[in-house]
Amino acid sequence: MSEFFTTEALSALLQVIMIDLVLAGDNAIVIGLAAAGLPKEQRAKAILIGIIAATVLRIGFAAATTQLLQIVGLLLAGGVLLLWVCWKMWRELRTSHAEEIQGEEALEGRDLDRDGKIAGAAPRKTFAQAAWQIVIADVSMSLDNVLAVAGAAREHPNVLIFGLILSVALMGVAATFIARLLQKHRWIAYVGLAIILYVAAEMIYRGALEVWPLVNGG
């Protein structure tokens, strides 16, 4: 338990908490946008399926990723993948305000823009189309989350376990609240993005140190 109270562990813990907060909210917004084009009676069902799927996927990916990162070369590959995650997050943060409102309305079930409809401006789609979009987003973003947490806490197993449990809890219980928080306080998402970028750079650096002796035949 004393591992939590070292400077390095506390730094890793803070990084992990911020990553979990930002990515749980980001995932919820994407789910909301995917479900926004559905009729009202199907929307809540699609969002619930999306949040349950994201929670289950995080548990599954956690079991595999923490083992895979021990393989020489995969830490470097994981860091490069996280760079792509940063680019994807940056693009999502530039999403138009109108689109974000449609996703928020779908998540909350409220008419936030006072146009008389809930997510009324979102393009219409079938339940199958929305479910497919949500599953694809969940697979991608759950892997992103587990990879980022594992990268931030790799040398601290207790912090890693805490981070993965927190990730699952946030996605299952507080994702909609966090999504709303990130929309109101955009700077939190940008801080999270900067932390993920730092984790990616550190993973690439450490991964390169692992691979370098092999490349040079050492």
Side-chain angles (χ1 to χ4, degrees):
M1 191 67 186
S2 59
E3 181 188 337
F4 274 106
F5 300 103
T6 66
T7 304
E8 284 187 7
L10 286 172
S11 174
L13 183 61
L14 289 174
Q15 289 178 34
V16 162
I17 290 171
M18 182 59 77
I19 289 168
D20 280 338
L21 282 171
V22 171
L23 290 183
D26 201 32
N27 204 163
I29 291 168
V30 171
I31 290 171
L33 285 170
L38 290 173
K40 180 181 178 181
E41 60 273 12
Q42 295 182 342
R43 203 177 294 138
K45 182 180 175 183
I47 290 170
L48 180 61
I49 289 172
I51 290 176
I52 291 172
T55 302
V56 172
L57 284 165
R58 274 162 167 71
I59 295 170
F61 283 138
T65 303
T66 50
Q67 297 300 316
L68 289 174
L69 287 180
Q70 305 303 317
I71 300 173
V72 174
L74 287 186
L75 185 63
L76 176 61
V80 173
L81 180 59
L82 268 189
L83 281 182
W84 176 73
V85 172
C86 291
W87 168 244
K88 191 172 63 170
M89 273 192 68
W90 170 258
R91 289 186 62 189
E92 286 165 3
L93 286 171
R94 315 302 289 180
T95 301
S96 72
H97 182 66
E99 284 183 301
E100 288 174 357
I101 288 293
Q102 298 308 302
E104 278 191 78
E105 286 189 349
L107 284 170
E108 295 187 38
R110 293 196 293 131
D111 181 13
L112 300 176
D113 58 6
R114 304 180 189 281
D115 64 351
K117 298 177 182 178
I118 296 176
R124 300 298 95 182
K125 63 186 72 169
T126 66
F127 187 83
Q129 288 173 324
W132 180 246
Q133 287 180 10
I134 288 170
V135 168
I136 294 298
D138 278 343
V139 169
S140 171
M141 300 189 78
S142 296
L143 179 59
D144 297 347
N145 182 270
V146 171
L147 190 60
V149 169
R154 187 168 179 252
E155 306 300 330
H156 307 281
N158 289 339
V159 174
L160 175 58
I161 292 167
F162 173 82
L164 295 174
I165 292 172
L166 179 64
S167 169
V168 170
L170 289 175
M171 200 61 235
V173 177
T176 303
F177 168 77
I178 294 166
R180 189 162 62 246
L181 181 70
L182 293 181
Q183 293 304 308
K184 289 181 180 177
H185 305 285
R186 203 62 153 182
W187 63 269
I188 298 175
Y190 282 105
V191 170
L193 175 60
I195 290 173
I196 295 171
L197 183 60
Y198 168 77
V199 171
E202 189 177 38
M203 286 174 71
I204 290 171
Y205 174 72
R206 286 189 289 156
L209 290 180
E210 286 181 352
V211 170
W212 187 252
L214 298 178
V215 172
N216 283 334

